[in-house]
Amino acid sequence: MTLLALGINHRTATIEVREQVAFTPAQLEAALDELRVLPEVREAAVLSTCNRTELYCVTEGDGEGAILEWLGRFHGLEVEDLSRCAYHYLDDEAARHLMRVAVGLDSMVLGEPQILGQLKEAYQVARRTRGMGGELECLFQQTFAVAKRVRTETDIGRNPVSVAYAAVSLASRIFDDFSRSRALLIGAGETIELVARHLHEAGVRRLTVANRTRERAEQLAGPLGGEAITLDEIPAALIDADIVIASTAAPLPILGKGMVERALKRRRHRPVFMVDIAVPRDIEPEVGELADVFLYTVDDLEEVIEENRRHRQVAADQAESLIEHGVGRWQHERRLRSGGELIRDVRARGEALRDLSRDQALARLARGEDPEAVIRRLAHQLTNRLLHRPTVALREAATDERQELLEAAAALLLDDSSDTSR
C-alpha cells in the first residue's frame, strides 16, 4: 500500500487551469464515489480550494497514473496538460505535504488559517462517502494534532492574514479614506465574511453584501450595519460601489463586461477597485479592459502576500520543526498498525491450519482409528503445515545469500528463552 498526494496549486498552475480542475461542493461526493471504485484506490479524500486541488489516496499498483487519468476524464482535460502542472508525493513526503498544507506553510498567504477549516470539511466529506480507512484516518488525525500545536505554540496565527486581508490591504493603497468608500461584496462564505470584517475594521461603513439568498447576506451584513441584496440586484448596486470583492462558488461569472460598463456610465466613470477571489472566476477577465476599472485576481495579490511571508518566516521555521515531529509520530503509528495487521494475518493462518488438522483428527477418531496414532499424526501434520512456508522461504534466502533475512528468522524462530514445556 502506498500513500499518494497528487494535485495542482497556485505555484504550479495558472488560475485558468485551477478553475478547470476545481471541484464544486455539488461535485465532491460524486467525484469521491468514482475515485474510490478505481481498482488502484483503497482510500481517498479530495481537497479543493481556490488555490489548490489535491487528492490524497491509499493506492496499489500504478495509482498515480490511474488517478491522473481519472482526474482528466472527470474534468474533460487532457492528461498530458495535467501532467505538466501536477505534483505528487509518496508516503512520508505525502504526509509531510498534508501537514504543511494544514498549517498554511504551502498557502499563498503564509500561515493563513482558512485552509485548516477547508481541510476538515474535506475530511468530513470523505468520511460520509466512506473514502476514509485506517490509513487516511490516522494521517488526518495526526495532521489535525500538528496543526493545533502549530497554532498554539508558534506566532504563525497571530494577527491572521488571509487572501481576504491581502485584498483589503491592496485596496488601502488606492483609497486614502475608507470611510468615504462604498463596498459591494458578492458571496457570503467564509472568505467574504473575513473581507467584510477587515473592511469594517479599516473604516468602511457603507457595505452591501449580495448573495443568492438574501437571508444569508443579511446574517453577514447585519452585524456590520450593512445592506443585504440578492444577485439580481447587483447591477443597481454597482453604480454606487467603489470597491467590489467577489468570492462565490458559482460555475459561471456573475459580473460581465457589459454590466460593469453600464454601471460606469452611470458613475460618470469614477474608478472602481475590483478583486476576484473566486475560482472559477466571478468577474469576466474582459472587465479588466475597461479604462476605469482596476481588476485583480488572487494571483495579483502576491506582492502583498510576500510581505506577510517575511514577517511570518520565523514562526514558519518553528512550524516545520513541529511538522517533522508529527511525521515521525505518523510513521511510528503506521509501523505499529502494519505490525498489528501482520500479526493478525499470521495468527489467522495458524488458526486455520490448526482447525484443519483438528477436524481431520476428529474425523479419524470418529472412524475408530487408534487414538495414539491419530494424535501422533496430528502433531506431525500440524508441524509440517506450520513450518512449510517458512522452510521454503529460508531455503530461498540461503540460496540468494540474504543474510539479513536468515538472521531475522533465527531471532523469530529460535529464541532460546521460549518456554517449550507449555
Side-chain angles (χ1 to χ4, degrees), residues 91-152:
D91 294 326
D92 296 357
E93 288 301 317
R96 184 174 290 106
H97 176 72
L98 179 60
M99 293 179 191
R100 296 188 81 253
V101 168
V103 302
L105 294 187
D106 197 60
S107 295
M108 180 181 286
V109 179
L110 184 66
E112 60 97 0
Q114 282 71 44
I115 187 64
L116 181 58
Q118 292 165 332
L119 190 61
K120 288 181 176 179
E121 289 176 11
Y123 165 77
Q124 292 297 340
V125 173
R127 289 197 69 183
R128 283 201 304 272
T129 57
R130 298 183 299 281
M132 283 283 171
E135 278 284 304
L136 285 185
E137 181 70 36
C138 178
L139 173 63
F140 273 76
Q141 291 302 329
Q142 187 60 46
T143 296
F144 296 148
V146 167
K148 182 177 181 180
R149 286 196 65 188
V150 169
R151 291 290 163 191
T152 56

Side-chain angles (χ1 to χ4, degrees), residues 18-38:
R18 297 201 306 273
E19 63 186 0
Q20 291 181 74
V21 181
F23 292 91
T24 66
Q27 290 175 319
L28 263 183
E29 293 198 10
L32 276 166
D33 286 339
E34 286 188 23
L35 186 56
R36 216 165 29 84
V37 299
L38 293 178

Side-chain angles (χ1 to χ4, degrees), residues 72-234:
R73 285 197 308 273
F74 191 93
H75 290 293
L77 300 171
E78 294 294 330
V79 175
E80 293 75 14
D81 294 336
L82 281 176
S83 298
R84 281 192 287 271
C85 56
Y87 49 82
H88 75 275
Y89 301 98
L90 302 177
D91 294 326
D92 296 357
E93 288 301 317
R96 184 174 290 106
H97 176 72
L98 179 60
M99 293 179 191
R100 296 188 81 253
V101 168
V103 302
L105 294 187
D106 197 60
S107 295
M108 180 181 286
V109 179
L110 184 66
E112 60 97 0
Q114 282 71 44
I115 187 64
L116 181 58
Q118 292 165 332
L119 190 61
K120 288 181 176 179
E121 289 176 11
Y123 165 77
Q124 292 297 340
V125 173
R127 289 197 69 183
R128 283 201 304 272
T129 57
R130 298 183 299 281
M132 283 283 171
E135 278 284 304
L136 285 185
E137 181 70 36
C138 178
L139 173 63
F140 273 76
Q141 291 302 329
Q142 187 60 46
T143 296
F144 296 148
V146 167
K148 182 177 181 180
R149 286 196 65 188
V150 169
R151 291 290 163 191
T152 56
E153 297 179 23
T154 77
D155 289 338
I156 202 164
R158 181 173 292 178
N159 299 320
V161 177
S162 62
V163 169
Y165 181 90
V168 175
S169 178
L170 188 59
S172 70
R173 299 181 183 183
I174 296 174
F175 296 94
D176 293 330
D177 185 0
F178 270 142
S179 67
R180 291 192 282 177
S181 302
R182 179 181 287 276
L184 170 62
L185 308 183
I186 303 174
E190 184 178 3
T191 299
I192 287 295
E193 187 174 358
L194 282 170
V195 168
R197 193 181 310 151
H198 290 315
L199 285 172
H200 187 76
E201 291 170 355
V204 173
R205 292 297 174 262
R206 293 180 295 172
L207 191 72
T208 300
V209 179
N211 190 53
R212 183 174 56 83
T213 61
R214 188 185 299 272
E215 292 77 15
R216 174 58 185 145
E218 288 173 346
Q219 290 174 7
L220 196 157
L224 301 177
E227 177 187 1
I229 64 173
T230 64
L231 298 182
D232 294 336
E233 299 173 87
I234 287 177

Side-chain angles (χ1 to χ4, degrees), residues 254-361:
I254 292 173
L255 297 188
K257 184 178 179 181
M259 182 193 301
V260 177
E261 200 165 20
R262 288 189 292 274
L264 287 173
K265 289 178 181 178
R266 297 283 300 276
R267 288 174 58 82
R268 297 182 181 178
H269 296 280
R270 283 182 291 119
V272 182
F273 170 80
M274 293 185 171
V275 181
D276 189 351
I277 302 176
V279 178
R281 283 174 282 193
D282 284 334
I283 304 174
E284 286 183 352
E286 291 77 12
V287 170
E289 299 171 2
L290 298 173
D292 300 302
V293 172
F294 298 90
L295 175 61
Y296 299 86
T297 69
V298 288
D299 288 350
D300 297 316
L301 302 177
E302 187 61 40
E303 180 185 343
V304 177
I305 288 160
E306 184 56 36
E307 184 178 338
N308 163 257
R309 196 184 305 276
R310 289 194 295 271
H311 290 307
R312 295 199 171 187
Q313 193 54 55
V314 172
D317 293 341
Q318 297 171 335
E320 294 281 13
S321 177
L322 292 173
I323 286 171
E324 288 307 309
H325 182 266
V327 171
R329 289 277 304 171
W330 173 77
Q331 291 170 329
H332 176 71
E333 291 178 10
R334 195 184 198 198
R335 287 193 293 268
L336 286 178
R337 192 168 57 255
S338 175
E341 291 172 358
L342 177 60
I343 290 169
R344 284 193 295 274
D345 291 344
V346 169
R347 290 191 66 88
R349 178 175 176 272
E351 289 168 358
L353 294 175
R354 175 203 64 197
D355 293 346
L356 176 62
S357 298
R358 178 201 61 204
D359 293 344
Q360 290 175 340

